[in-house]
C-alpha cells in the first residue's frame, strides 16, 4: 500500500508511518489505550504504534485533533478499512467492535450473544471507566487534597457496586461471556487492574470481597497478548 493513502491524514505529518500498509495506532498505555493494543495483539493484526505523550500535550496538537476532535486516546487509521478504503476511528469501544468485526475474533457470532457482549462493553464504557476514573482522581491525584471526602466516598461506593456486578457475573463463568474470551473482557479488566494498582484503591473498594473478579483478573493479566499490550506504545 502506498504511503500516499495515509498522507491524506494530517496526523501522519506529526507521526509518520514507517509501515503505511499496517493499521496505525495512536495511543498511550492507559486503561483505555491498552484495550486496543491488547486487542491488536490478541488478533495478530499487523499494526504500527505511535506514542501520544500527555507530558508534551500531544493529544491537543492540531495533528491529533484532526483525527480525534475530542483529544482522547486511542485512535486508529486502518489503511485497509471497509471496501479497501482507509478508515479513521476514535473511541476505544468503537475501535474494539471494529477490530472484532474485521477479524472475526473476540466477539460472538450468534446474534443474541453478540448483543449481550456489546451490552457488557457499554457497561464498561458508561459505568466502570467514568466511575473508576473519578475515584482515581479523588484518591491519588489533585482530588486527594480535598478535605471534604464526600466526593471520594461517592465514587468509592459506586465503584464497589460495579465490582459487585462483575463479581456476580463471573461467579459461574470463566469470562464475562462464559468460556469465550471477548472484547467485554478486554474492556473491563484493564480498568480493574488500574483501579487496584495505579489508583491504589484496592483496599478502599474491598477488592478482597470479590474473589471471582480477582481470579479472572489474574487469568487476564497472565495472557501473553495482554502482557505485551499493556506496554504498547512504549513510553519514551
Amino acid at each position: 500500500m502506498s504511503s500516499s493513502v495515509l498522507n491524506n491524514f494530517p496526523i501522519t505529518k506529526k507521526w509518520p508511518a514507517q509501515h503505511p500498509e499496517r493499521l496505525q495506532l495512536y495511543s498511550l498505555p492507559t486503561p483505555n489505550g491498552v484495550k486496543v493494543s491488547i486487542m491488536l495483539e490478541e488478533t495478530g493484526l499487523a499494526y504500527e504504534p505511535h506514542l501520544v505523550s500527555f507530558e508534551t500535550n500531544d493529544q491537543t496538537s492540531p495533528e491529533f485533533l484532526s483525527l480525534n476532535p475530542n483529544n482522547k486516546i486511542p485512535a486508529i487509521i486502518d489503511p485497509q478499512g471497509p471496501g479497501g478504503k482507509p478508515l479513521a476511528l476514535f473511541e476505544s469501544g468503537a475501535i474494539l467492535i471494529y477490530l472484532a468485526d474485521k477479524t472475526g475474533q473476540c466477539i460472538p457470532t450468534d446474534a443474541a450473544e453478540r448483543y449481550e457482549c456489546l451490552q457488557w462493553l457499554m457497561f464498561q464504557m458508561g459505568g466502570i471507566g467514568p466511575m473508576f476514573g473519578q475515584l482515581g482522581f479523588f484518591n491519588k491525584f489533585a482530588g486527594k487534597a480535598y478535605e471534604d471526602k464526600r466526593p471520594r466516598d461517592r465514587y468509592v461506593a459506586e465503584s464497589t457496586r460495579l465490582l459487585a456486578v462483575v463479581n456476580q457475573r463471573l461467579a459461574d463463568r470463566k469470562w464475562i461471556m462464559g468460556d469465550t474470551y471477548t472484547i467485554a473482557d478486554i474492556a473491563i479488566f484493564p480498568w480493574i487492574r488500574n483501579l487496584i494498582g495505579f489508583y491504589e484503591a484496592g483496599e478502599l473498594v474491598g477488592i478482597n470481597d470479590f474473589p471471582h473478579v480477582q481470579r479472572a483478573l489474574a487469568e487476564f493479566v497472565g495472557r501473553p497478548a495482554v502482557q505485551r499490550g499493556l506496554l504498547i506504545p512504549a513510553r519514551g
Side-chain angles (χ1 to χ4, degrees):
M1 162 119 9
S2 169
S3 61
S4 62
V5 173
L6 290 182
N7 288 343
N8 294 327
F9 295 90
I11 195 169
T12 61
K13 304 297 190 295
K14 187 174 178 68
W15 290 277
Q18 301 301 312
H19 302 280
E21 75 283 359
R22 300 179 186 176
L23 185 147
Q24 304 292 305
L25 170 66
Y26 307 91
S27 191
L28 185 72
T30 67
N32 281 331
V34 299
K35 292 180 200 172
V36 176
S37 53
I38 289 170
M39 180 64 175
L40 287 165
E41 289 294 321
E42 292 281 8
T43 61
L45 274 175
Y47 71 102
E48 180 177 352
H50 303 278
L51 180 70
V52 179
S53 174
F54 291 175
E55 293 181 1
T56 53
N57 292 316
D58 282 350
Q59 74 276 20
T60 62
S61 65
E63 293 87 354
F64 189 80
L65 291 173
S66 71
L67 187 60
N68 183 1
N70 194 35
N71 70 274
K72 303 291 184 183
I73 59 94
I76 66 167
I77 301 173
D78 185 356
Q80 303 178 54
K85 298 179 180 179
L87 175 69
L89 277 181
F90 62 87
E91 281 295 329
S92 58
I95 297 170
L96 286 179
I97 296 169
Y98 171 69
L99 295 176
D101 287 344
K102 179 182 176 73
T103 62
Q105 298 182 50
C106 299
I107 196 165
T109 54
D110 175 78
E113 291 182 358
R114 172 188 170 87
Y115 287 116
E116 186 179 352
C117 179
L118 293 179
Q119 115 186 318
W120 285 100
L121 174 63
M122 301 303 166
F123 166 81
Q124 182 279 308
M125 293 165 58
I128 282 179
M131 295 301 105
F132 287 14
Q134 293 291 349
L135 177 50
F137 173 78
F138 284 103
N139 189 54
K140 181 164 183 175
F141 298 109
K144 70 181 180 182
Y146 293 8
E147 291 184 14
D148 185 348
K149 296 305 178 187
R150 285 175 296 180
R152 187 203 67 175
D153 292 347
R154 167 182 168 81
Y155 293 114
V156 168
E158 182 61 7
S159 296
T160 303
R161 187 190 69 79
L162 291 166
L163 284 170
V165 173
V166 177
N167 194 67
Q168 181 180 19
R169 176 70 179 179
L170 292 169
D172 57 356
R173 294 174 176 84
K174 179 178 181 180
W175 300 109
I176 294 294
M177 286 300 297
D179 291 334
T180 304
Y181 174 80
T182 68
I183 55 174
D185 304 294
I186 294 173
I188 289 171
F189 287 112
W191 272 102
I192 297 176
R193 174 181 176 271
N194 205 66
L195 179 72
I196 64 179
F198 184 65
Y199 287 163
E200 302 171 356
E203 187 174 342
L204 273 178
V205 298
I207 191 63
N208 289 334
D209 295 334
F210 306 116
H212 307 300
V213 169
Q214 291 182 301
R215 180 263 308 160
L217 176 62
E219 189 153 351
F220 174 78
V221 173
R223 295 176 68 90
V226 172
Q227 293 178 9
R228 295 191 301 270
L230 287 171
L231 301 175
I232 297 173
R235 296 179 185 266

